[in-house]
Amino acid sequence: MSLQTRPEANPRCPRVSLAWRVLAAIILMMSAPAALAGSPERSVVQILTFSQTPIYDAPWRYDSVRRSGGSGFVIRGRRIMTNAHVIAWAKQILVRRFQDPRPFQARVAFVGHDCDLAILEVEDPSFFEGIEPLEFGPLPAVRSTVVSYGYPAGGEQISYTRGVVSRIEIQPYSHPGHRSLLAVQTDAAINPGNSGGPVIQDDKVVGVAFQGIPGLENAGFFIPPEVIQHFLKDVNDSHYDGFPMAGIRLVPLQNPAYRSFLGVTNDSLGARIDGILPGTAAESRLKPDDVLLDAGGLPVGSDGTVVYQENRMPVSVAFQTPQSGESVKLKILRNRAPMEVDLPVNVYDLDRLAGNQYDSPPRYLVHGGLVFTPLSADYLRTLGRESSDTATAGLVYELYYRRSEDPSKARPEPIVLASTLAHPVNADLGVRARAIVDKINGVKIERLEDVVRALEKNTEGQDVIEFLGRGGFECLDREKAAAANSEILSTYGIPSDRRL
Amino acid sequence: MKHVLFPVLFAAVFLSGFAPAQAADARAWEKSYVTLEVTYKDYDYSQPWNKPTRTIRKGAVVQPGHEVLTTAQHLPGATLVRLQRGGRGKWYDAQVKWMDPHANLALVTTRDELFWEGLRPAELAEVIPAAPDFNLLRWRDGNLESRRVEFSKFSVREGILSFAPRLTLEVNTELGGLGWAEAVTLNGEMVGLTSTKSGNTCQVIPSSFIRRVLEAQRAGNYRGLGYFDFTWGPGENPATLEFLKLKGPERGAVVTEVLDRPGKESVLKARDLILEVDGFPIDVEGDYEDPDYGHLMLENLATRTRFAGDTIPMKIWRDGAEKTVQYTLPPATYADELVPQQSFGHDPEYVVAGGLVFQPLEQSFLRAWGDDWRRRAPFRLQFYQNEHPSAARPSLVMLSSILPDPINVGYQDVRFLVVDKVNGKTISSLSELTEALQQPKDGVQRIEFMPGDSLQRMLLDAGGLNSATQRVLKRYGIPAAQNVVTPEAKK
């Protein structure tokens, strides 16, 4: 299943934009604004973002400036809540009030990429004059009606769409790319530009519109109050940590022989811990074949789900409720004996390169025209269709499989030779890109700083770069490479040979 | 007027494109080029006990001694082989006399003397002469068609059924449906048999290669193809040659990895520079100058005049000095790869136990994902192709699917997982699997999968396994619970 976040359609894709315009127009004609007691629309703002994303195989460069539109709403403390993807990689953020032509400059106060939420502040205090902050309500019930407010493509003014809550589940969040959190599905139209806008029920915010699934009709998703409140509580200390993870892989325990072997008597309760994520607190507290019976007061079904506010969903919801560093009380069965375990849960970032990268432009080093940069999901995307080629399979394995299969050999930051900037000093190299660096001058490369160290310490005639895989290596004449560096930087317009 | 003009124009074009020499060539070959029909058992990756059959027709070239020569493709697993002469009429029951999938060659015969009457063995060119184009022969609707194909190049490539590189003639043509052992000829001699076509390029097994294999086979000393079990890279980078302290002119290919074989140390080491192989100097691109075919990749020297087991002298540069080593060519065997290309000589292997379907992990399974299988087949299964076999795990067994049954409730969606252990025993073959399943502990069969992010283990009721297996066999119409070939039988 692929998900698509919903900032306003990229103006460079007119066909998509047109399609959304037509769709939005139809919806607008069909659904009248809900008759609400208050006027939440006055608190809903339009957000215009001018952003530039880095180019991961030429990490000193940025793509062309992209203009996109999203929505947001005013919350307590003279702040605006929106989606993280609305303001990601922003160079400038402008906000507009309801029926007010003036643009106001805004800046990001906090951003949670894992939960796709952000808080903005506006420099001009007059922006908030006459605007009442919206309050948050509870998780809406399935089948209840909600109204989405926002500034989707297809017009300039605020748009309202009404729908029912279709279901409430744990869903993959497409903005981080490798995290799943609680989300609410609705048939209220959530179109490009709706992102960050409030979903309202009884004059209270019960969600933030954020994504849809291409090809799935009448299905939009919003971030529920539980996730929003978690985010707001997290930033109370002026620092965003993120959502914690349990660090366990829980699988259904429904085979009669396995249930009997583990001494599980109740037919409907208890799922099995099949694996534990290295580097998490679970390593010292839980074991494979422990049976999880209860997590944070929620009985765990044999399929690994719990009933959370009348909705059945994966037990991971129980581990997303506490803040990072807090604990979840577990009831388990180990060796047929019941036990209680306090499991500390923390933010897990060892897989950060496997998710989408934000905020910090890619690190890199250019040496003799060889461009070294961390292997990341964003770098793999630069390969396009070739990312599934046999030649680049090693990159995929290193990024997504190595850590779980062979953790002792997993590198904190695998470094890839991203490209080679043509120059006589490197013209004869056979391996010129898309190769993971194993060693340089005998130094094992586990992060970009190792590349710097390995090159600086060398006193031999050649720099020897070894690659992971079939023992391939390349050599550079050390003195010539060093001497050519400034010329290469100048030729290719690279402002600095490194970003560490 | 349009309707009158078109046939006239068409005839003019047709006549000018069909040279008299080609027509004569085709007529001469009617006595030397025949049709082979092969009915063979295909592989059903999802139900390996199934034996769906397919029938194909391909070409074959008459050879001395009442034999016809063809490619080995589709002959492993053949249930019926028939020969036809003249592109029409009677089919003659035939027998495969000899076949080598690695060389992709086979000799077929028939005991029916009538078939051989008037047939004439074809001459195989000893060396393929330089020519801008060749003729390609194929039987179509009872007529032997001769079409011009353009010479493209000589290359050194893996075989269609083997990883062992060998000389390949590449020809360009827009003709479709090629690769069925069509004969490629020049001046009355056969210069090769087609093996496959991709785009406009058709690969041809060259006659010089075929002659050598057949001569050895007929003399009873064909030992199979050998190959170089090391990887190398070009020595084009002067800094690399300097790092390796090479003296003299720039030359040679750099050994990057040597296959680690238990109990047998290679005479080569990583970072050796290969300067000369079998008397041929190796240039910085890893090529040598072939006396017949010009620049070719050094890999060809493993099959040019040599076979498995032969010893080849190599001049190498190691530790700043030239050295001569004697390299013995290992035989190309499918077991040399952790994920073998395929295995021949037996029906597909499988074990059904309590509805769990186990198969050896082979490339033939991955190929079930179609022409684009390298992109579409499950990534993790594919990635095992990058690993080498070891003494501890020479091959892999996977759980390919599960046939739902009460005994396997809770696991029905599990598939494509490589087995690590069963009841504590490391598993690398189906023989080991069946043996391990005889030794359950604590009343359960414990199946563990390779470490990773996917399911790690499952337990099954040991007491009910056999009856469940029988139930599954009956319910799903499976003729037998297993087809397991011992490693000894595979050799």
Side-chain angles (χ1 to χ4, degrees):
Chain A
M1 181 172 68
S2 66
L3 299 169
Q4 193 171 37
T5 50
R6 292 284 169 90
E8 186 182 341
N10 185 342
R12 289 179 299 165
C13 302
R15 281 178 59 201
V16 175
S17 178
L18 182 63
W20 283 120
R21 278 163 193 262
V22 171
L23 182 61
I26 293 168
I27 291 164
L28 273 174
M29 284 186 285
M30 289 170 59
S31 59
L36 295 170
S39 302
E41 63 268 24
R42 295 195 172 277
S43 305
V44 181
V45 303
Q46 185 179 25
I47 301 174
L48 298 173
T49 305
F50 299 85
S51 58
Q52 263 192 313
T53 49
I55 297 173
Y56 281 81
D57 56 353
W60 56 92
R61 284 168 44 205
Y62 286 88
D63 228 326
S64 53
V65 176
R66 177 175 180 266
R67 175 194 184 279
S68 58
S71 306
F73 57 98
V74 175
I75 60 172
R76 284 186 187 184
R78 295 181 157 248
R79 298 184 297 185
I80 294 168
M81 173 162 276
T82 185
N83 284 142
H85 74 261
V86 169
I87 50 83
W89 295 113
K91 298 286 184 185
Q92 185 185 57
I93 302 168
L94 297 178
V95 289
R96 278 193 190 137
R97 295 155 42 112
F98 175 66
Q99 294 187 345
D100 185 340
R102 293 174 296 163
F104 290 81
Q105 294 265 3
R107 66 175 188 83
V108 177
F110 298 103
V111 60
H113 291 293
D114 60 347
C115 60
D116 200 1
L117 289 172
I119 290 175
L120 309 183
E121 291 175 342
V122 181
E123 290 167 10
D124 186 343
S126 70
F127 177 83
F128 294 99
E129 285 174 5
I131 297 182
E132 287 296 316
L134 294 181
E135 299 294 330
F136 292 100
L139 184 69
V142 174
R143 294 194 303 277
S144 65
T145 303
V146 293
V147 179
S148 168
Y149 287 59
Y151 289 87
E156 291 301 316
Q157 300 308 312
I158 194 166
S159 163
Y160 316 88
T161 59
R162 183 169 51 190
V164 297
V165 172
S166 308
R167 55 182 160 188
I168 301 172
E169 279 188 292
I170 299 289
Q171 293 281 356
Y173 275 38
S174 65
H175 177 66
H178 63 328
R179 289 290 181 267
S180 295
L181 296 174
L182 191 66
V184 182
Q185 182 183 327
T186 176
D187 65 351
I190 292 179
N191 289 319
N194 267 121
S195 281
V199 178
I200 304 279
Q201 188 177 65
D202 299 332
D203 289 347
K204 298 273 175 64
V205 175
V206 294
V208 176
F210 80 124
Q211 67 183 24
I213 299 178
L216 205 61
E217 290 183 8
N218 299 328
F221 292 88
F222 61 84
I223 301 168
E226 280 65 14
V227 175
I228 299 168
Q229 296 290 7
H230 190 286
F231 170 71
L232 290 172
K233 187 177 175 187
D234 190 328
V235 299
N236 267 345
D237 61 356
S238 301
H239 178 263
Y240 181 69
D241 297 303
F243 279 74
M245 279 172 62
I248 58 172
R249 185 177 54 254
L250 197 73
V251 297
L253 181 59
Q254 297 187 319
N255 185 267
Y258 218 150
R259 289 187 72 81
S260 169
F261 180 80
L262 295 178
V264 188
T265 50
N266 188 312
D267 277 346
S268 64
L269 287 186
R272 188 175 64 84
I273 294 176
D274 188 50
I276 293 170
L277 202 59
T280 61
E283 264 191 312
S284 59
R285 288 164 178 83
L286 294 170
K287 294 179 177 177
D289 274 354
D290 282 349
V291 180
L292 184 60
L293 300 170
D294 186 287
L298 300 173
V300 180
S302 63
D303 61 350
T305 62
V306 296
V307 176
Y308 179 80
Q309 298 200 27
E310 300 181 10
N311 302 283
R312 192 162 272 285
M313 62 186 69
V315 70
S316 55
V317 71
F319 301 107
Q320 294 169 0
T321 306
Q323 294 288 329
S324 184
E326 295 178 353
S327 293
V328 179
K329 285 193 185 304
L330 306 180
K331 289 180 185 169
I332 64 166
L333 203 63
R334 177 178 296 166
N335 300 327
R336 296 172 166 261
M339 281 180 67
E340 291 197 359
V341 175
D342 268 352
L343 179 68
V345 288
N346 293 288
V347 172
Y348 181 77
D349 71 347
L350 291 177
D351 64 346
R352 65 187 169 80
L353 293 169
N356 299 323
Q357 310 297 298
Y358 297 107
D359 297 335
S360 303
R363 287 146 50 82
Y364 72 89
L365 176 81
V366 178
H367 175 75
L370 276 62
V371 181
F372 300 100
T373 192
L375 172 65
S376 65
D378 296 86
Y379 172 73
L380 270 188
R381 265 195 292 278
T382 66
L383 307 181
R385 186 170 155 78
E386 291 174 31
S387 65
S388 58
D389 275 359
T390 310
T392 52
L395 304 181
V396 175
Y397 180 82
E398 201 63 29
L399 187 61
Y400 296 113
Y401 293 86
R402 174 78 74 188
R403 186 165 302 283
S404 61
E405 293 191 8
D406 196 2
S408 64
K409 290 186 180 168
R411 297 163 198 246
E413 185 184 61
I415 299 299
V416 66
L417 172 62
S419 58
T420 299
L421 304 165
H423 183 274
V425 77
N426 59 41
D428 293 309
L429 264 63
V431 179
R432 303 184 70 80
R434 302 169 189 182
I436 298 172
V437 182
D438 181 21
K439 292 177 184 170
I440 294 180
N441 300 326
V443 175
K444 188 178 179 189
I445 303 301
E446 299 202 300
R447 49 180 64 79
L448 193 60
E449 284 73 11
D450 294 334
V451 179
V452 177
R453 186 164 57 91
L455 291 170
E456 285 178 353
K457 76 159 195 125
N458 188 28
T459 55
E460 301 294 325
Q462 293 82 31
D463 288 317
V464 183
I465 300 132
E466 299 174 66
F467 302 103
L468 269 189
R470 292 283 160 98
F473 69 100
E474 291 289 350
C475 296
L476 272 181
D477 185 294
R478 182 175 63 86
E479 288 183 359
K480 286 181 186 169
N485 231 22
S486 60
E487 184 189 335
I488 291 171
L489 297 181
S490 165
T491 302
Y492 291 94
I494 304 170
S496 169
D497 72 336
R498 66 191 67 191
R499 185 193 289 132
L500 300 177
Chain B
M1 285 299 287
K2 279 182 184 172
H3 292 94
V4 177
L5 262 180
F6 177 72
V8 173
L9 284 173
F10 178 79
V13 171
F14 180 75
L15 286 172
S16 65
F18 195 80
Q22 276 179 276
D25 186 58
R27 279 195 299 276
W29 278 94
E30 285 180 359
K31 302 291 185 192
S32 303
Y33 186 63
V34 298
T35 309
L36 190 69
E37 183 188 78
V38 182
T39 301
Y40 66 98
K41 285 184 279 189
D42 205 1
Y43 168 57
D44 180 348
Y45 79 99
S46 64
Q47 300 182 82
W49 48 86
N50 279 350
K51 295 172 183 175
T53 56
R54 293 177 192 274
T55 300
I56 57 99
R57 288 179 185 174
K58 60 198 287 194
V61 175
V62 178
Q63 290 292 284
H66 284 192
E67 291 172 346
V68 296
L69 167 73
T70 186
T71 54
Q73 289 156 268
H74 304 103
L75 284 172
T79 58
L80 178 66
V81 182
R82 301 196 300 170
L83 282 165
Q84 184 190 55
R85 45 182 289 165
R88 63 179 71 215
K90 178 178 167 62
W91 287 97
Y92 298 82
D93 284 350
Q95 301 79 41
V96 178
K97 273 182 80 174
W98 168 85
M99 157 176 70
D100 181 22
H102 285 286
N104 194 14
L105 293 174
L107 292 171
V108 176
T109 188
T110 174
R111 287 183 277 273
D112 197 326
E113 289 295 327
L114 202 60
F115 174 81
W116 301 106
E117 269 184 23
L119 291 186
R120 192 168 56 233
E123 291 293 328
L124 272 57
E126 193 170 349
V127 175
I128 300 175
D133 44 41
F134 303 102
N135 295 330
L136 182 139
L137 303 173
R138 59 178 175 179
W139 285 106
R140 303 201 95 185
D141 302 327
N143 297 303
L144 188 59
E145 182 185 54
S146 176
R147 301 292 289 265
R148 185 166 294 172
V149 293
E150 291 177 7
F151 170 78
S152 173
K153 64 178 177 182
F154 288 104
S155 62
V156 181
R157 310 176 64 123
E158 292 184 352
I160 301 302
L161 304 178
S162 171
F163 58 86
R166 79 292 306 276
L167 182 70
T168 303
L169 165 65
E170 295 183 24
V171 296
N172 277 350
T173 174
E174 292 182 357
L175 291 174
L178 298 183
W180 300 95
E182 290 87 5
V184 179
T185 68
L186 182 71
N187 301 331
E189 288 186 318
M190 189 189 87
V191 298
L193 289 174
T194 67
S195 60
T196 189
K197 186 179 179 227
S198 174
N200 280 346
T201 302
C202 188
Q203 291 181 36
V204 179
I205 306 171
S207 57
S208 49
F209 170 82
I210 297 172
R211 275 180 69 119
R212 272 198 337 94
V213 171
L214 291 187
E215 281 166 12
Q217 189 272 336
R218 284 173 180 139
N221 56 15
Y222 178 60
R223 297 179 297 281
L225 298 189
Y227 73 106
F228 293 141
D229 61 349
F230 55 86
T231 54
W232 57 269
E236 293 172 309
N237 184 351
T240 299
L241 299 180
E242 203 170 322
F243 169 70
L244 297 174
K245 299 182 173 56
L246 178 69
K247 291 174 187 150
E250 293 177 359
R251 62 201 187 282
V254 185
V255 176
T256 55
E257 188 186 37
V258 176
L259 192 62
D260 186 22
R261 291 174 189 272
K264 190 181 173 192
E265 199 174 340
S266 174
V267 294
L268 292 174
K269 292 180 181 175
R271 302 194 179 181
D272 283 346
L273 256 177
I274 301 177
L275 304 178
E276 202 175 290
V277 177
D278 219 0
F280 291 96
I282 305 299
D283 66 20
V284 291
E285 292 183 28
D287 287 352
Y288 74 99
E289 180 74 22
D290 190 276
D292 299 321
Y293 303 115
H295 277 283
L296 289 177
M297 194 161 58
L298 71 86
E299 242 87 10
N300 192 49
L301 293 168
T303 53
R304 181 178 176 272
T305 59
R306 306 289 196 170
F307 292 119
D310 286 349
T311 296
I312 296 179
M314 287 188 182
K315 274 187 190 168
I316 61 167
W317 189 270
R318 179 185 294 169
D319 301 330
E322 191 174 293
K323 191 175 176 182
T324 299
V325 296
Q326 301 297 324
Y327 178 89
T328 303
L329 277 173
T333 54
Y334 294 112
D336 280 359
E337 295 183 300
L338 184 63
V339 182
Q341 208 161 351
Q342 47 222 315
S343 53
F344 294 119
H346 53 81
D347 285 342
E349 286 187 275
Y350 69 90
V351 167
V352 177
L356 278 62
V357 181
F358 298 95
Q359 296 188 61
L361 178 56
E362 294 184 354
Q363 209 182 74
S364 46
F365 181 85
L366 302 173
R367 287 179 188 273
W369 272 264
D371 289 343
D372 205 17
W373 64 275
R374 288 189 185 276
R375 290 178 196 273
R376 296 176 56 210
F379 174 86
R380 190 58 192 96
L381 292 185
Q382 286 219 55
F383 196 71
Y384 282 109
Q385 295 179 104
N386 294 297
E387 297 175 26
H388 294 306
S390 64
R393 201 182 300 273
S395 52
L396 299 170
V397 168
M398 72 175 157
L399 172 65
S400 61
S401 63
I402 291 182
L403 301 167
D405 180 83
I407 199 172
N408 59 45
V409 162
Y411 305 135
Q412 294 94 329
D413 297 328
V414 179
R415 57 184 181 164
F416 305 153
L417 292 180
V418 173
V419 179
D420 183 13
K421 292 176 181 169
V422 171
N423 297 325
K425 308 272 186 197
T426 299
I427 301 299
S428 56
S429 69
L430 290 181
S431 312
E432 291 173 350
L433 175 85
T434 52
E435 198 178 314
L437 286 173
Q438 301 305 314
Q439 300 164 40
K441 291 175 187 168
D442 305 322
V444 291
Q445 300 281 3
R446 187 181 186 87
I447 298 152
E448 294 172 85
F449 302 102
M450 291 294 200
D453 223 7
S454 48
L455 184 72
Q456 292 297 284
R457 68 195 69 80
M458 59 168 62
L459 301 187
L460 286 177
D461 175 28
L465 187 72
N466 287 341
S467 59
T469 301
Q470 293 309 312
R471 191 165 60 228
V472 166
L473 296 184
K474 191 174 176 188
R475 186 169 293 171
Y476 291 91
I478 303 169
Q482 63 184 61
N483 179 43
V484 178
V485 182
T486 62
E488 292 70 32
K490 285 182 187 175
K491 286 173 185 169

